[in-house]
Amino acid sequence: MDFELTSGQHALRQKIADFCARECPPEFETSLDEGGAFPEDLYRKMADSGFLKISFPAEYGGTDGNILDIVLISEQLARNSYTAVYMYLVNVVFAGTMILNCGNEAQKKAFIPKLLKGDLKFAFALTEPEAGSDARSIKSSAVDRGDHFLITGTKYWTSGATVADYIITVVLTGPETAASREMSVFIVPTKSEGLKATPIRKLAGNAYPSCEVRYENVPVAKENILGGPEWLNNGLLQLFQTAEYERICIAASCLGGAETILRECTEFAKTRQQFGKPVIKFQAIQHTLADMATRIEAMRWMTYHAAWMKAESKDCFKEICMAKLFCSETLGDIARKGMQIFGGRGYSMEHRMQRYLRESYLSLYAGGTSEIQKNVIARFL
Ligand SMILES: Cc1cc2nc3c(=O)[nH]c(=O)nc-3n(C[C@H](O)[C@H](O)[C@H](O)COP(=O)(O)OP(=O)(O)OC[C@H]3O[C@@H](n4cnc5c(N)ncnc54)[C@H](O)[C@@H]3O)c2cc1C
């Protein structure tokens, strides 16, 4: 096993760090958190800087690379901007990889180059008001009307729906009574007649809206079935193929978030004076920081190791779920410890620590809850 980053990967990390320092420093994220609108301009700059293209094949406008590259990008963006990393995850890691892995040639050619240039944005709609962890219990459906399908139903928590051009939508397409719950995935234009998206107020990240999306007899062409008509009723298989990318990059985003909390806590502890000395001189604070640093090291190696396994085409779903579970839970623990190190200032809206704590919660649900990761891991034991 060789986990040494290549010189290209070191350069990539530095490039994204420089980009973030310039375009989305912490103050910018704070302004978004305080009621800022969707940062269209930031997304455009992310695309123009070329890093949406990384890890996609050159024939679709990418610059090649592998899964470790998107892991490094997710980690680096999350160090700086929760909004930037979630825009990246939804568009590039979820939608982009799903179209790349499951789309037919015409769909890859039509969507991926524009997505990588930032000319098209996507959202992904699986969850419904009554169907979360139990994806098979979705009720939204599509009925065949000859040359097109009509989609009816309600999706919930569809991130980026109000700013996207297309929503990759999972619906039932088999007979309503069938126990198999046959599903299909449609690429639905958001401008379609009968589609309405409404943002849900969230604990954090409101600049990138997560939405309720209502579909009332929304017409979708048959060529917009992901993979083409031959993939009708095989949507569940397509979801499984994307879950690994989604979960490993969420793990990486937690790693990036935790690194920032440790850095800011260390800086704070070195400057905050009590009892005549910086609080970092107290062993209790030193131990908390040492504990954070040790757990971050474990997050890093679990994430990189799982990404390396994926890049080597090894079976790694268990390791990816372990990394996602460990990193999302640990980020929450580290954010709570950060609040303690900051004392009362952690509770103040003048400081960022409370924002990091609020942001940390999303990773516990996105890509499946901790309980669902444990269910998967247990199946391998
Ligand atoms: C901010 C945000 C953005 C999101 N973005 C998207 C998006 O873009 N697209 C999308 O499709 N979805 C999105 N989601 C939805 C997310 O994937 C779901 O929240 C997640 O799958 C959990 O579903 P649920 O919230 O309905 O919880 P539920 O499934 O109702 O779970 C409730 C509780 O029961 C537990 N539980 C459920 N089943 C089991 C079981 N079998 N064993 C043990 N425990 C169990 C859960 O772990 C949880 O603790 C988003 C969610 C949030 C909060």
Side-chain angles (χ1 to χ4, degrees), residues 90 124-128 131-134 156-159 202 210 362 365-372 375:
V90 171
F124 172 71
L126 169 62
T127 306
E128 297 185 357
S133 305
D134 182 10
Y156 209 64
W157 288 126
T158 308
S159 297
K202 300 182 282 186
S210 300
L362 173 57
Y365 322 119
T369 64
S370 295
E371 290 76 12
I372 295 304
N375 290 352

Side-chain angles (χ1 to χ4, degrees), residues 40-54 56-63 88 91-92 96 108-122 165:
E40 187 77 53
D41 196 39
L42 173 61
Y43 191 73
R44 165 62 41 213
K45 286 175 181 166
M46 285 165 67
D48 290 347
S49 74
F51 60 76
L52 304 188
K53 297 180 179 181
I54 292 161
F56 283 79
E59 60 184 305
Y60 304 118
T63 51
Y88 179 74
N91 282 282
V92 177
K108 290 186 213 183
K109 287 205 171 110
F111 295 118
I112 296 179
K114 288 185 182 161
L115 187 161
L116 302 184
K117 276 198 249 161
D119 294 341
L120 285 183
K121 288 195 284 304
F122 288 79
D165 301 285

Side-chain angles (χ1 to χ4, degrees), residues 302-316:
M302 285 183 79
T303 304
Y304 288 8
H305 176 238
W308 170 82
M309 289 182 79
K310 181 72 187 161
E312 296 287 311
S313 304
K314 294 177 185 296
D315 287 338
C316 55

Side-chain angles (χ1 to χ4, degrees), residues 167-186:
I167 303 179
I168 298 181
T169 307
V170 188
V171 291
L172 296 177
T173 36
E176 226 174 279
T177 47
S180 57
R181 315 286 294 161
E182 288 168 333
M183 293 178 191
S184 305
V185 182
F186 286 82

